[in-house]
């Protein structure tokens, strides 16, 4: 059938589309800047249509109305990554967290986590009847491929991206047209501590390296310190405005990449309109599903990849908790371990966990003798490579437990160092020298 006919037959009101979601069903929605916020808000406004519907996604930039207390019985949230807007609901028991590596999520939708409905954001169809998933291909494409029902918010403000971001109109059951600006995430205002961390990380990055950067202030600070490097490349899970700045400054060229040369590979994006305009119809940006970008074997194809992520707490053995404060889940593993493992398999690859040495306005050390009770070990001591704080760099791979403890104490905050040295001397039966 002609794609135009399919599209016009499946074009409908939000009510016609969203009323098809079954009671007790699982809805997987796109996330980050690709969150179909109009559809999710519409569902919450008509909560009486729904009973025990699970809303499942990763990073949310929307309003998360379905997490409110008055939604109990109508919706329940299943977080594949806990964010600012969903933290309270998960903590208070109105939502759950499902531990999972990012690269495995697309496969979960084929088996352990069946999808009743996928809610996605797409561009209007191109001349070949294809829509682009734009800034969220990650797990969204797999959700759409595996769902019994696919509802798309057709947004003419969604950038059209290349890579593996296209769906045919025949793969979508319901089209709801709604134009809206994409959710934005403003660049962080950097503190001195973050800038010092960025500077320390930058000292481990050489001209021609390929980078993976996580979200937030520390990646922004690292990018700020890279202004004088040359020919950097990007193979990441996501990237933000800071990368655009370095492309425009001629620092990121992707020319030295042997794998996907000349392309910046990612699976989702979050930033401002500047970023979204930059990626629109940009042949140098390639958006792929997460089971490709984040597969450690694919990551390992990037010689000299440097992966930079952050953490909450690291013990003296090098076990890193990057997702909870004790038992309270504050985020998720995301792609942290995917990239750390990929980097360790890559030729000359390295991985860095970068974090301030303290938290809670300097009142607690993030380098600790033991992880808090209930804390999740996100990155195991077998996987960890470099740890960076504002006080320096600790290289842990290939080091004994005693050497690790010593290297980590050397980059802890001075206020906590004496206490940590006491723990070291008692544990290893030797003087800290
Ligand atoms: N003890 C007590 N509280 C702590 C703490 C500690 N050791 N470490 C952090 N906190 C608190 C902070 O004070 C802050 O509280 P606030 O929100 O009240 O200010 C909160 O926890 C968040 O910590 P912060 O370090 O500021 O968060 P961030 O935004 O810089 O993100 C991670 C850091 C680790 C949570 C984030 O990088 C992450 O989720 N990583 C795992 C996923 C990942 O790496 N994905 C790969 C790339 S996308």
């Amino acid at each position: 059938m002609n794609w135009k006919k399919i599209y016009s037959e499946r074009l409908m009101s939000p009510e016609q589309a969203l009323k098809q979601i079954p009671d007790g069903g699982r809805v997987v929605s796109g996330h980050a800047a690709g969150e179909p916020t109009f559809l999710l808000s519409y569902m919450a406004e008509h909560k009486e249509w729904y009973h025990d519907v699970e809303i499942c996604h990763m990073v949310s930039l929307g309003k998360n109305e379905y997490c409110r207390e008055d939604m109990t019985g109508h919706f329940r949230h299943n977080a594949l990554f806990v964010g600012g807007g969903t933290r309270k609901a998960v903590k208070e028991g109105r939502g759950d967290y499902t531990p999972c590596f990012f690269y495995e999520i697309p496969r979960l939708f084929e088996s352990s986590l069946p999808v009743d409905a996928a809610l996605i954001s797409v561009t209007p169809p191109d001349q070949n009847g294809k829509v682009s998933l734009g800034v969220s291909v990650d797990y969204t494409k797999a959700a759409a491929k595996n769902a019994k029902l696919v509802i798309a918010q057709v947004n003419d403000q969604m950038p059209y991206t290349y890579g593996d971001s296209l769906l045919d109109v025949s793969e979508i059951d319901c089209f709801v047209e709604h134009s809206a600006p994409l959710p934005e995430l403003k660049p962080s205002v950097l503190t001195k501590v973050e800038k010092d961390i960025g500077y320390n990380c930058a000292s481990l990055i050489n001209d021609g390296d390929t980078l993976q950067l996580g979200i937030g202030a520390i990646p922004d600070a690292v990018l700020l310190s890279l202004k004088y490097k040359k020919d950097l490349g990007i193979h990441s899970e996501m990237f933000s405005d800071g990368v655009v700045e370095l492309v425009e400054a001629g620092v990121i060229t992707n020319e030295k990449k042997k794998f996907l040369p000349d392309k910046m590979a990612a699976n989702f994006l979050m930033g401002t309109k500047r970023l979204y305009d930059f990626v629109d119809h940009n042949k140098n940006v390639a958006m792929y599903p997460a089971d490709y970008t984040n597969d450690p074997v694919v990551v390992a194809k990037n010689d000299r990849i440097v992966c930079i992520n952050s953490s909450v707490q690291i013990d003296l053995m090098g076990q890193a908790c990057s997702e909870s404060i004790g038992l309270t889940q504050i985020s998720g593993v995301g792609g942290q371990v995917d990239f750390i493992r990929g980097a360790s398999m890559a030729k000359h690859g390295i991985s860095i966990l970068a974090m301030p040495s303290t938290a809670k306005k300097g009142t607690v050390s993030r380098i600790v003798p033991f992880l808090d009770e209930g804390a999740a070990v996100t990155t195991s001591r077998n996987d960890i490579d470099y740890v960076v704080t504002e006080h320096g760099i600790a290289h842990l791979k290939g080091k004994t437990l005693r050497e690790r403890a010593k290297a980590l104490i050397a980059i802890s905050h001075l206020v906590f160092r004496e206490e940590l040295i006491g723990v070291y001397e008692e544990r290893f039966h030797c003087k800290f020298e």
Side-chain angles (χ1 to χ4, degrees):
M1 205 197 295
N2 176 304
W3 72 259
K4 287 185 182 158
K5 192 157 185 292
I6 297 175
Y7 185 79
S8 66
E9 281 178 6
R10 298 183 188 181
L11 186 61
M12 58 188 82
S13 68
E15 177 165 352
Q16 282 170 315
L18 294 169
K19 271 194 157 174
Q20 296 182 44
I21 293 171
D23 283 349
R26 172 175 295 120
V27 172
V28 174
S29 82
H31 74 145
E35 183 174 333
T37 47
F38 171 71
L39 299 179
L40 288 167
S41 295
Y42 204 94
M43 286 176 72
E45 267 169 45
H46 299 91
K47 62 178 182 184
E48 66 284 359
W49 295 346
Y50 305 101
H51 300 97
D52 298 322
V53 169
E54 181 184 296
I55 309 274
C56 178
H57 56 72
M58 283 188 78
V59 183
S60 169
L61 293 179
K63 295 197 182 119
N64 313 107
E65 298 96 331
Y66 44 85
C67 284
R68 287 196 320 245
E69 274 172 64
D70 62 307
M71 298 289 163
T72 305
H74 301 288
F75 303 111
R76 190 170 172 82
H77 176 45
N78 182 357
L80 303 175
F81 190 96
V82 179
T86 55
R87 237 168 239 167
K88 191 164 180 280
V90 173
K91 189 172 181 190
E92 291 173 359
R94 290 189 306 285
D96 300 291
Y97 170 67
T98 300
C100 47
F101 293 126
F102 199 174
Y103 89 98
E104 284 187 333
I105 294 177
R107 230 171 298 158
L108 289 182
F109 297 147
E110 293 168 12
S111 52
S112 332
L113 216 56
V115 186
D116 293 294
L119 299 194
I120 61 176
S121 270
V122 299
T123 62
D126 63 16
Q127 67 279 15
N128 300 313
K130 310 281 183 202
V131 295
S132 170
L133 286 159
V135 294
S136 164
V137 179
D138 40 57
Y139 64 80
T140 311
K141 187 163 187 173
K145 293 263 183 197
N146 289 289
K148 294 188 189 117
L149 172 73
V150 183
I151 304 175
Q153 176 180 333
V154 182
N155 186 355
D156 59 7
Q157 299 187 49
M158 173 63 83
Y160 188 101
T161 59
Y162 301 107
D164 184 12
S165 69
L166 302 183
L167 286 173
D168 193 88
V169 291
S170 62
E171 295 178 280
I172 295 169
D173 303 292
C174 313
F175 294 99
V176 177
E177 291 182 347
H178 183 82
S179 177
L182 265 50
E184 293 195 35
L185 185 76
K186 303 278 180 227
S188 325
V189 178
L190 300 175
T191 62
K192 174 164 181 338
V193 165
E194 285 153 356
K195 285 183 190 164
D196 288 348
I197 294 170
Y199 179 81
N200 288 339
C201 290
S203 71
L204 294 169
I205 298 169
N206 296 305
D207 293 344
D209 285 353
T210 292
L211 307 179
Q212 175 262 328
L213 296 154
I215 319 170
I218 286 171
D220 286 351
V222 174
L223 289 166
L224 195 73
S225 297
L226 297 177
K227 280 186 190 151
Y228 303 105
K229 306 275 177 190
K230 289 194 202 95
D231 284 323
L232 299 177
I234 299 288
H235 181 105
S236 196
E237 151 181 325
M238 58 85 63
F239 63 85
S240 197
D241 290 47
V243 162
V244 179
E245 223 160 291
L246 288 189
V247 171
E248 288 171 356
V251 174
I252 294 176
T253 61
N254 298 294
E255 279 174 19
K256 293 273 154 71
K257 282 177 81 185
K258 292 209 179 75
F259 181 66
L260 302 173
D262 303 322
K263 305 259 186 247
M264 281 194 283
N267 69 56
F268 76 94
L269 302 169
M270 279 198 299
T272 67
K273 189 166 181 304
R274 179 183 182 197
L275 171 73
Y276 309 145
D277 288 345
F278 171 81
V279 300
D280 188 30
H281 287 96
N282 185 335
K283 291 241 158 76
N284 297 119
V285 174
M287 299 296 293
Y288 292 104
D291 52 349
Y292 184 67
T293 50
N294 285 35
D295 181 341
V297 173
V298 173
V299 174
K301 291 183 181 177
N302 291 280
D303 296 355
R304 297 175 53 192
I305 189 164
V306 181
C307 300
I308 304 168
N309 294 291
S310 193
S311 199
V312 168
Q313 194 176 56
I314 299 184
D315 73 14
L316 291 181
M317 298 187 283
Q319 302 191 106
C321 167
S322 309
E323 55 183 294
S324 71
I325 298 173
L327 269 175
T328 306
Q329 192 72 36
I330 63 158
S331 69
V333 58
Q336 180 166 122
V337 176
D338 303 346
F339 278 93
I340 287 178
R341 292 200 170 145
S344 86
M345 287 191 268
K347 212 182 204 178
H348 308 302
I350 65 167
S351 68
I352 301 170
L353 283 182
M355 61 178 191
S357 63
T358 62
K360 288 179 137 181
K361 300 196 168 75
T363 58
V364 296
S365 176
R366 294 196 192 223
I367 293 176
V368 288
F370 307 102
L371 296 181
D372 286 355
E373 192 177 17
V377 177
T378 310
T379 293
S380 87
R381 61 186 191 175
N382 310 301
D383 286 313
I384 202 153
D385 192 5
Y386 286 88
V387 177
V388 169
T389 69
E390 70 277 23
H391 299 293
I393 301 169
H395 188 204
L396 306 188
K397 202 167 260 293
K399 300 280 163 49
T400 64
L401 291 177
R402 191 160 58 88
E403 289 166 335
R404 286 165 180 238
K406 205 167 168 184
L408 285 166
I409 292 169
I411 61 163
S412 66
H413 196 285
L414 275 175
V415 168
F416 300 99
R417 225 173 263 184
E418 205 173 310
E419 191 185 326
L420 290 167
I421 289 173
V423 171
Y424 172 96
E425 292 186 342
E426 195 179 327
R427 181 159 166 184
F428 296 107
H429 311 288
C430 64
K431 279 271 210 231
F432 183 91
E433 286 164 339

